[in-house]
């Protein structure tokens, strides 16, 4: 250890450039004096024997450093040495915040070596949201404009590491210019800085994609390699937009594999391995589900497999990426064979790392080639007993992928065995979720399902995800298609939990106790010979246990209350009320008083707690009309009327005696006085002058001596210091489910178990057990069985098919009300549609909910339709041949993905013409998209239409039965989406669809999480010989949820001052967009904005994101540049709207 320390100390002067000018070639006293204190500190720390001594030494060192850096006589050279020692203290985990400001000063002053240490200290001390970074912005801008290459490199390095998101417009034009620099190191660092910008603010670099393409073709390999990072991220989001670059990526990979790159890029004689890995990932994304693009990659993938033959870890990584790419793109038989051989070598390798790679690759490719698992089934069985826990975990992941209805019991048992041995929280969370999913999907019977879930709750404990018990309870409550089976499942669950509660002094996790309490409270009446008094006694005994938390006690009290409502009187209940009426726990005392009052009025108790009513829909009075009398009485007594928050905020701003916390305006040169403005003056005065934005290169040149405050985050407000908001980055940890497609297994090789049965006599007992285990694990993967993979469509009947009782009543009403649409003539001609409400009334009504932004009152509007006869086959063909698409639409919705799986059913009617439909009269008056086809089969066709009302986005869905026979239980289900919320319910159920009829339903969609574009997936299921389903997807844009906000100029000014989230950007205007009014009208038409006022070359615009999130925009034109300044109360909305504005300006 001492040798390592001495070598480190001898290397420090050269690394830090600490050479005294007077020192000789051997270093001499100059070198020693510069590093003696740092060396002494390191030696002192390594000589210590305890953590306490280290803390004491570091504390003394920090005291000395604080006195030194604060002294006015400290030279920059001494400051540099202090910064190095502070860096060492921070590396050991001791905060040295007193030196942060001095690190920034050192980066701003001094020579190159001192700036180098200052920038290094800043990059290690601060994070990208640190408020002190504001002081570094002007220094970075100055260094980016420097003629010294070292200063430019240091500035670009800092920008690519810790530069804050709000400051990007200040340096973006300068970094764009560096892409054309003559030195390759500058171009490479500029690309790395833009990559950082793309990660934290992708919308702000959308306009320089052409420059990324130039960087990809740069003559320097380093610049090209840096650009691949950006393309990998962009292709992950939108692969279709970069298909034209496939040949370029293939050419680059060929040159890399062929050794055309300089030898400096080789690693263990392997040419640029990390570059190969990146290119393989890019090719896999581009070739997915695209045969034409995949053909371009076959040769280079074959060459990569052939050349990666060196036995080294880096070549194994390249082979693994090659295998993943081959199985991701549209496959070629020779490549698949070579990839399978490569996986076999990995799996059979005695090295743990290679075996893990093989299992990982096998898990990835098992969905495309399930026969590959059969070839290595004995190796997989051996991996289940491998001493390495990572190998075991990956093997269980592989078995999870091949689970079906025939092998589910064995695989789940193996998972539970591993779960009982594991102590890692991540493993417990991961495995419990997978076991619960498999149990729900492939359970052979009710008993096995309940026992498996009990094991999950017992072993998973309180660390498992809360969705698992919630989904289990929802499954019990909503039930399935068979009411008798529902009752049997609930009865067995009750009996199981009663037997578990018989055991005394047994510890159960809190979530398991909560599940028991809810089930016993809801369904204990199903036990015919059960005494409610006995059940209450068992629950009462649980309340006395010390390990039961307050939350669980609340569940138990609720269960006791429900059970006591079904019995006349109970001594245990009276004892419980008396015991907890004086409890120190406020919640338990409250529950005891509620139970006491309910027991005194049994009639009220039965009305409040009806039998098996957990799924009954509760009507909520959102307008709180029951308080109208109370409010009227208060107003009559002189109480002040309620004022919304924004009105109270405006009144505070209008108070003249209030302190002004707004910063003073900037002072500019006299040449700009005609167009300048004062700081954050309200745009209501139309003097904001957004040409002062940090994006403007012209201002960067004119204000070199001024402090630039563009994009500065507001930290002080009217209520004092405002806590900064951390940027929430990262990807959703949650993996998106693979779209389910039907797969047809051809001639799959049977398991080689029949051959080994002849040799069973010569096998040992251990081998016999392994063979038997393999026959149970891999059953269902042969040619005579149906393969059922996770992430693929499962043609076997699922044990538990959920049926939502919550929306059953509502769906039946929707179905009956929309049934008349199906029988309406399909012609959209004006004379066939009703012209007024009187002609449009019928016996059926459809309630359309309309949410008002000014209040929470729910308005009900009724749309009714005429009843007509069902269409005959000839009539249907005649109507379809004469119909046309509706022309009254705002814009065409052409970005809807279409899934058209083929079906083969004998009794069908060919639908040769696309079906065109009309919206109901009241909806047709609103702007809407065209009615487009979502998915189709020989039996059903589904269409959709978006209707943009003032208060919401309505999604109208039409389902057409094209067959000659009626369909029963057609169910339309949407998947849960991260960005969108569907009100009321995610499903819509049609009990019966007559032959050649049309049904429709509507859903209200709201944007939950701001994004520029998102996809909503769903499926429609209908029973034939088996449960069949079609999948579809709808693409929504942010513009679907934007509505104009009509306000006055004065209101605009007051709101502007109350918002702190802002974004600025300069956009170039084309010659056709000659004036501000032309540009704003284009934005108004495409994005549904409201132009508040235009004066000269300035304008203000307002809009809102449904339901009521405002966003304000100030615009100014100058020298064919449109300066945009967005402000909103939502931090993500300005960026997304800026991106849409950029697209509109480019398209127009």
């Amino acid at each position: 250890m001492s040798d390592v320390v001495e070598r480190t100390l001898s290397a420090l002067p050269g690394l830090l450039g600490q050479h005294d000018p007077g020192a000789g070639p051997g270093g001499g006293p100059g070198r020693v004096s510069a590093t003696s204190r740092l060396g002494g500190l390191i030696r002192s720390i390594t000589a210590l024997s305890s953590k306490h001594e280290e803390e004491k030494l570091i504390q003394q060192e920090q005291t000395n450093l604080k006195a030194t850096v604060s002294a006015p006589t400290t030279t920059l050279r001494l400051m540099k040495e202090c910064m190095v020692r502070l860096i060492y203290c921070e590396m050991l985990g001791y905060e040295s915040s007193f030196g942060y400001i001095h690190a920034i000063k050192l980066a701003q002053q001094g020579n190159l070596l001192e700036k180098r240490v200052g920038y290094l200290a800043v990059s290690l001390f601060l994070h990208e949201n640190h408020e002190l970074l504001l002081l570094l912005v002007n220094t970075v801008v100055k260094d980016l404009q420097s003629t010294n290459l070292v200063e430019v490199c240091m500035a670009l390095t800092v920008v690519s590491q810790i530069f804050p998101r709000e400051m990007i417009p200040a340096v973006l034009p300068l970094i764009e210019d560096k892409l054309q620099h003559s030195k390759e190191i500058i171009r490479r660092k500029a690309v790395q800085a833009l990559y950082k910008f793309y990660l934290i603010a992708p919308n702000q670099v959308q306009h320089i994609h052409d420059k990324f393409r130039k960087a990809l073709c740069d003559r320097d390999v380093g610049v090209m390699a840096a650009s691949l990072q950006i393309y990998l991220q962009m292709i992950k989001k939108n692969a279709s937009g970069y298909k034209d670059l496939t040949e370029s990526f293939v050419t680059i990979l060929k040159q890399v594999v062929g050794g055309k790159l300089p030898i400096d890029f080789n690693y263990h004689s392997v040419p640029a391995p990390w570059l190969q890995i990146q290119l393989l990932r890019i090719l896999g994304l581009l070739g997915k589900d695209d045969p034409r693009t995949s053909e371009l990659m076959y040769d280079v993938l074959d060459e990569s497999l052939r050349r990666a033959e060196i036995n080294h870890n880096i070549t194994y990584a390249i082979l693994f990426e090659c295998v993943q790419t081959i199985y991701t793109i549209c496959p070629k038989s020779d490549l698949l064979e070579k990839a399978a051989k490569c996986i076999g070598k990995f799996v059979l390798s005695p090295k743990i790392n290679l075996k893990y790679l093989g299992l990982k690759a096998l898990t990835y490719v098992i969905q495309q080639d399930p026969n590959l698992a059969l070839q290595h089934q004995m190796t997989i069985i051996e991996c289940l007993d491998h001493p390495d826990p990572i190998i075991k975990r990956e093997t269980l992941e592989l078995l999870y992928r091949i689970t079906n209805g025939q092998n589910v019991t064995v695989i789940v048992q193996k998972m539970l065995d591993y779960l009982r041995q594991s102590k890692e929280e991540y493993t417990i969370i991961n495995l419990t979720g997978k076991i619960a999913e498999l149990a729900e999907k492939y359970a052979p019977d009710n008993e096995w399902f309940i026992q498996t879930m009990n094991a999950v709750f017992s072993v998973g404990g309180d660390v498992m995800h809360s969705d698992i018990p919630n989904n289990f309870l929802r499954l019990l409550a909503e039930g399935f298609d068979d009411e008798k089976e529902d009752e049997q499942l609930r009865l067995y669950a009750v009996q199981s939990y009663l037997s578990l509660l018989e055991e005394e002094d047994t510890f159960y996790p809190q979530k398991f106790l909560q599940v028991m309490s809810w089930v016993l409270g809801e369904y204990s009446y199903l036990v015919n010979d059960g005494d409610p008094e006995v059940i209450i006694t068992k629950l009462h005994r649980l309340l006395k246990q010390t390990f039961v938390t307050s939350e669980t006690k609340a569940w138990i009290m609720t269960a006791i209350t429900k059970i006591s409502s079904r019995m006349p009187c109970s001594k245990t209940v009276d004892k419980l009320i008396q015991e907890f009426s004086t409890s120190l726990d406020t919640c338990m005392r409250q529950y005891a008083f509620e139970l006491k009052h309910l027991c005194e009025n049994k009639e009220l108790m039965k009305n409040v707690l009806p039998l098996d009513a957990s799924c009954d829909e509760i009507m909520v009075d959102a307008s709180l009309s029951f308080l109208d009398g109370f409010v009227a009485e208060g107003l009559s007594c002189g109480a002040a009327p309620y004022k919304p928050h924004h009105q109270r905020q405006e009144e505070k701003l209008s108070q003249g005696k209030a302190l002004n916390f707004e910063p003073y305006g900037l002072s500019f040169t006299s040449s700009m006085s005609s167009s300048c403005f004062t700081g954050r003056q309200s745009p209501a005065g139309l003097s904001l002058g957004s040409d002062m934005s940090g994006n403007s290169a012209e201002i960067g040149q004119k204000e070199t001596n001024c402090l630039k405050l563009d994009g500065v985050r507001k930290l002080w407000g009217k209520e004092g210091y405002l806590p900064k908001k951390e940027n929430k980055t990262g990807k959703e940890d949650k993996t998106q489910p693979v779209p389910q497609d039907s797969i047809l297994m051809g001639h799959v090789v049977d398991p080689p178990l029949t051959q080994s049965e002849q040799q069973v006599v010569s096998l040992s007992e251990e081998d016999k057990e392994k063979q038997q285990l393999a026959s149970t694990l891999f059953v269902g993967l042969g040619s005579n069985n149906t393969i059922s993979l996770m992430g693929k469509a499962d043609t076997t009947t699922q044990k538990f098919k959920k049926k939502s009782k919550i929306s059953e009543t509502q769906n039946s009403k929707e179905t009956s009300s929309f049934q008349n649409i199906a029988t309406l003539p399909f012609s959209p001609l004006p004379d066939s549609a009703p012209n007024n409400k009187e002609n449009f009334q019928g016996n059926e009504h459809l309630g359309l909910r309309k949410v008002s932004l000014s209040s929470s009152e729910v308005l009900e509007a009724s749309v009714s339709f005429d009843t007509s006869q069902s269409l005959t086959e000839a009539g249907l063909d005649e109507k379809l041949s004469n119909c046309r698409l509706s022309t009254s639409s705002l814009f065409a919705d052409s970005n809807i993905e279409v899934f058209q799986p083929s079906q083969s059913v004998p009794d069908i009617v060919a639908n040769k013409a696309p079906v065109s439909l009309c919206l109901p009269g009241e909806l047709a008056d609103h702007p809407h998209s065209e009615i487009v086809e979502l998915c189709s089969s020989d039996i059903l066709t589904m269409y959709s239409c978006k209707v943009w009302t003032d208060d919401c986005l309505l999604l109208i869905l039409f389902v057409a039965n094209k067959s000659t026979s009626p369909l029963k239980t057609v169910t339309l289900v949407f998947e849960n989406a991260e960005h969108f919320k569907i009100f009321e319910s995610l499903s819509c159920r049609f009990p019966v669809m007559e032959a050649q009829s049309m049904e429709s339903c509507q859903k209200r969609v709201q944007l939950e999480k701001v994004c520029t574009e998102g996809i909503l997936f769903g499926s429609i299921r209908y029973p034939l010989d088996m449960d069949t389903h079609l999948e579809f997807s709808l693409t929504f844009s942010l513009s679907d949820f934007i509505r104009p906000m009509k306000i006055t100029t004065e209101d605009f000014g007051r709101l502007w001052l109350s918002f702190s989230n802002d974004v600025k950007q300069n956009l170039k205007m084309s010659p056709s967009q000659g004036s501000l009014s032309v540009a704003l009208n284009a934005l108004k038409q495409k994005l549904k904005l409201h132009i508040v006022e235009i004066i000269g070359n300035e304008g203000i615009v307002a809009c809102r994101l449904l339901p009521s999130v405002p966003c304000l925009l100030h615009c100014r034109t100058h020298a064919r540049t449109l300066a945009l300044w967005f402000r909103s109360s939502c931090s993500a909305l300005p960026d997304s709207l800026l991106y849409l504005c950029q697209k509109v300006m480019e398209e127009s």
Side-chain angles (χ1 to χ4, degrees), residues 547-772:
F547 64 84
V548 180
T549 63
S550 297
E551 181 185 1
T552 306
K553 288 181 179 180
W555 286 70
I556 298 174
M557 285 292 291
T558 304
I560 293 175
T561 305
K562 292 178 182 177
I563 297 173
S564 60
S565 67
R566 298 189 285 268
M567 55 189 300
C569 60
S570 170
K571 295 182 179 179
T572 307
V573 172
D574 296 338
K575 180 180 178 182
L576 184 146
I577 293 173
Q578 184 178 2
E579 179 180 346
F580 287 99
S581 295
T582 57
S583 173
L584 296 178
D585 190 335
T586 307
C587 293
M588 295 302 297
R589 191 164 63 250
Q590 174 71 20
Y591 275 110
F593 277 111
E594 290 177 357
L595 179 58
K596 177 181 178 182
H597 286 288
L598 287 175
C599 289
E600 292 173 355
N601 189 344
K602 286 293 183 180
E603 192 66 28
L604 174 62
M605 197 174 194
K606 291 182 179 179
N607 293 334
V608 173
L609 301 171
L611 191 65
D612 191 15
S614 59
C615 288
D616 290 353
E617 186 175 2
I618 300 175
M619 300 303 296
V620 178
D621 185 1
S623 63
L624 304 179
S625 59
F626 57 89
L627 292 176
D628 289 346
F630 174 79
V631 173
E633 182 180 354
L635 292 175
S636 62
C637 295
Y642 172 75
K643 296 179 181 179
H645 174 72
H646 66 86
Q647 185 177 350
R648 298 196 300 270
Q649 187 73 11
E650 291 174 4
E651 291 181 356
K652 287 182 181 180
L653 294 175
S654 62
Q655 292 176 0
K657 295 183 180 180
L659 291 176
N660 182 18
F661 289 94
E662 300 299 329
Y664 290 106
L666 301 178
S667 59
F668 302 101
T669 59
S670 58
S671 61
M672 303 178 64
S673 60
S674 60
S675 61
C676 70
F677 60 93
T678 58
R680 285 168 53 93
Q681 184 176 346
S682 167
L686 295 181
S687 59
L688 280 172
S690 55
D691 59 330
M692 299 296 104
S693 169
N695 294 314
S696 175
E698 177 185 0
I699 301 308
Q701 297 170 0
K702 292 184 180 182
E703 296 182 67
T704 54
N705 297 325
C706 298
L707 178 63
K708 293 180 172 59
L709 295 177
D710 295 328
V712 176
R713 177 173 296 177
K714 180 182 177 183
L715 294 179
W716 289 91
K718 301 169 183 58
E719 298 176 356
Y721 183 74
L722 302 176
K724 59 181 181 297
K725 299 179 181 179
E726 297 289 343
N727 289 333
K728 296 183 179 179
T729 60
K731 188 211 164 335
E732 271 327 21
D733 325 3
K734 298 183 180 178
T735 307
Q736 296 293 333
V738 181
Q740 297 183 350
D741 300 319
S742 305
I743 61 172
L744 179 62
M745 297 304 300
H747 299 285
V748 181
V749 180
D750 291 336
L753 297 177
T754 55
Q755 299 177 359
S756 61
E757 288 175 358
Q758 302 173 358
Q759 304 174 355
V760 71
V761 179
S762 61
L763 296 177
S764 63
E765 290 298 327
E766 183 179 357
D767 292 337
K768 290 181 181 179
E769 291 179 1
K770 291 182 179 179
Q771 291 282 7
Q772 185 177 2

